[in-house]
Amino acid sequence: MSRRGVMLGSAALLGLAVLALTVAARDQPSGTASADRCVASGAVPTLGATVLHTSPTLALPTRLELVGNRLVVLDAAAESVLHVVDRETGLLLQSLGRRGRGPGEFYGAWALDADRPGDAAVWVYDLSLRRLTLVPLTSEGGTGSSTTMIHLTDGRLVTGTRWLDPNTIVAAGLLSDARVALYDGAGHHVESLGAPPALASSGLPMQAGQAQLELSPDGSAAVLARRYVSNLEIVTLPSGTARTIDGPVGVRPGGRSTELDRFAYVDLTVTAGAIMALFSGREARLHGSRAPFGRCLHLFDWQGGFTAAFALDTDVLAIASDPDGQFVYALRHDPVPAVVRFALPPTGSSQPVGRRGTGVAAR
């Protein structure tokens, strides 16, 4: 078995089949991954990708986080769990992170969050171990070892974490009792915020609630993207009031887990002025392991207005934006794994697509 097959076999032990793990074998025929519809009707501008970094070091990159002037890449199949790339030059600065269950090791690394203030480290959330580990980043080399670890002590199935402040962790996932959960700096559950999404009453299976999580730069709100339903949710902090935003292309699964076939929003990134969501719209029965990849970038404002859409000229799996919203960085798998960059048009230089400020409902 190949090294990639061994690593993915280990990941399967996490029980992530239920969560539809967002990794795809590169030997899947790419001919099924045609350009996808980004809005219900009409054309949208296309953004061209510039390759920032590619090397044999990248095996199966799945997550991306901007940490200061660095891009941190989570890799599901390389010998090292993390790769650190200079976001301006594309230079690989370091690869780090051992695989295992011990201190400073990772068994099911799933999500990233930049450590603030200072941007000198990144938090890695291990879904299998339910553990957050702080990994220091160095400008050159270094082991990136860390003994700062936080275990989430309750039984909630968390798939993403973000630090709201030095003592508060905001978490999302398959939560049956809330939109988001709050933990203290020791990993103890403190509070659940927001009424849970109406999944059961609407006939949707629990798996439809799997969410990506981002926080607004000022910490006043969390935004959730659910992978099988084409809406976003903005949760005001700390009140927990949730606002649902409909995307421009409708995706809604049936009432059985076997019908969780079509992907909607597969990743998120935010700036002070915009929410950017990577949209797939693809069905697994047609696209296979390419289904979680997207070629559409939908932009929303923090009031819930859908402002613009862009087509991407290549399939990508994860996105991250610089604070000014000038560039969106992404992970591409074909023809070889790469970190790519898209330049966004200046605000106001292109016509918004769709209707502004509609499709928003407080729940």
Side-chain angles (χ1 to χ4, degrees):
M1 183 180 292
S2 66
R3 183 182 69 181
R4 182 179 302 115
V6 172
M7 294 300 181
L8 291 179
S10 298
L13 297 176
L14 309 179
L16 296 180
V18 174
L19 302 176
L21 178 64
T22 56
V23 297
R26 296 203 309 273
D27 56 2
Q28 182 73 20
S30 60
T32 61
S34 58
D36 299 284
R37 186 176 63 181
C38 291
V39 292
S41 62
V44 299
T46 298
L47 304 179
T50 299
V51 174
L52 183 65
H53 173 79
T54 184
S55 71
T57 304
L58 297 178
L60 204 62
T62 58
R63 294 291 187 217
L64 185 64
E65 182 78 7
L66 181 68
V67 183
N69 202 40
R70 306 174 180 94
L71 291 165
V72 180
V73 179
L74 191 63
D75 201 312
E79 296 296 339
S80 297
V81 176
L82 302 175
H83 310 298
V84 184
V85 175
D86 187 292
R87 74 178 176 104
E88 294 181 354
T89 67
L91 179 67
L92 179 66
L93 300 176
Q94 58 186 145
S95 292
L96 48 94
R98 299 184 304 273
R99 297 188 184 274
R101 296 175 177 270
E105 296 180 338
F106 305 98
Y107 184 72
W110 184 259
L112 302 170
D113 187 21
D115 184 45
R116 302 176 181 87
D119 289 327
V122 64
W123 288 93
V124 182
Y125 174 63
D126 192 305
L127 177 59
S128 176
L129 303 178
R130 294 184 51 78
R131 185 172 72 189
L132 284 159
T133 301
L134 181 64
V135 179
L137 304 178
T138 60
S139 58
E140 296 181 4
T143 63
S145 61
S146 173
T147 56
T148 304
M149 298 178 294
I150 299 170
H151 289 83
L152 302 186
T153 58
D154 66 340
R156 289 173 174 80
L157 185 50
V158 169
T159 57
T161 61
R162 295 280 173 181
W163 284 90
L164 179 63
D165 57 51
N167 300 306
T168 309
I169 302 166
V170 182
L174 298 182
L175 306 180
S176 60
D177 61 340
R179 288 304 209 280
V180 297
L182 300 185
Y183 295 81
D184 64 20
H188 300 112
H189 178 255
V190 174
E191 189 177 3
S192 296
L193 298 180
L199 297 175
S201 62
S202 62
L204 295 180
M206 184 63 185
Q207 294 94 315
Q210 184 190 354
Q212 301 280 8
L213 169 69
E214 287 281 356
L215 297 182
S216 62
D218 64 2
S220 64
V223 58
L224 307 177
R226 304 198 181 278
R227 293 168 57 79
Y228 304 103
V229 181
S230 58
N231 57 48
L232 306 179
E233 293 174 319
I234 298 176
V235 181
T236 303
L237 301 176
S239 69
T241 302
R243 201 189 305 180
T244 300
I245 308 166
D246 294 327
V249 180
V251 172
R252 182 179 175 84
R256 297 176 297 176
S257 60
T258 55
E259 295 176 351
L260 291 176
D261 178 69
R262 190 178 180 197
F263 288 81
Y265 289 115
V266 294
D267 204 10
L268 278 173
T269 187
V270 301
T271 67
I275 300 167
M276 307 180 195
L278 178 63
F279 180 75
S280 166
R282 297 174 174 178
E283 297 178 59
R285 64 185 179 86
L286 298 177
H287 297 274
S289 58
R290 307 295 306 178
F293 288 75
R295 282 201 177 192
C296 298
L297 189 66
H298 291 163
L299 272 62
F300 303 83
D301 60 34
W302 284 99
Q303 288 70 49
F306 169 54
T307 59
F310 298 96
L312 308 178
D313 71 346
T314 188
D315 291 350
V316 298
L317 186 61
I319 57 175
S321 171
D322 68 328
D324 298 326
Q326 294 181 314
F327 297 102
V328 170
Y329 304 90
L331 297 178
R332 187 186 75 182
H333 281 197
D334 290 317
V336 295
V339 180
V340 301
R341 179 174 60 199
F342 299 94
L344 289 176
T347 303
S349 65
S350 60
Q351 290 295 318
V353 177
R355 56 199 187 282
R356 183 180 181 90
T358 60
V360 180
R363 294 181 181 177

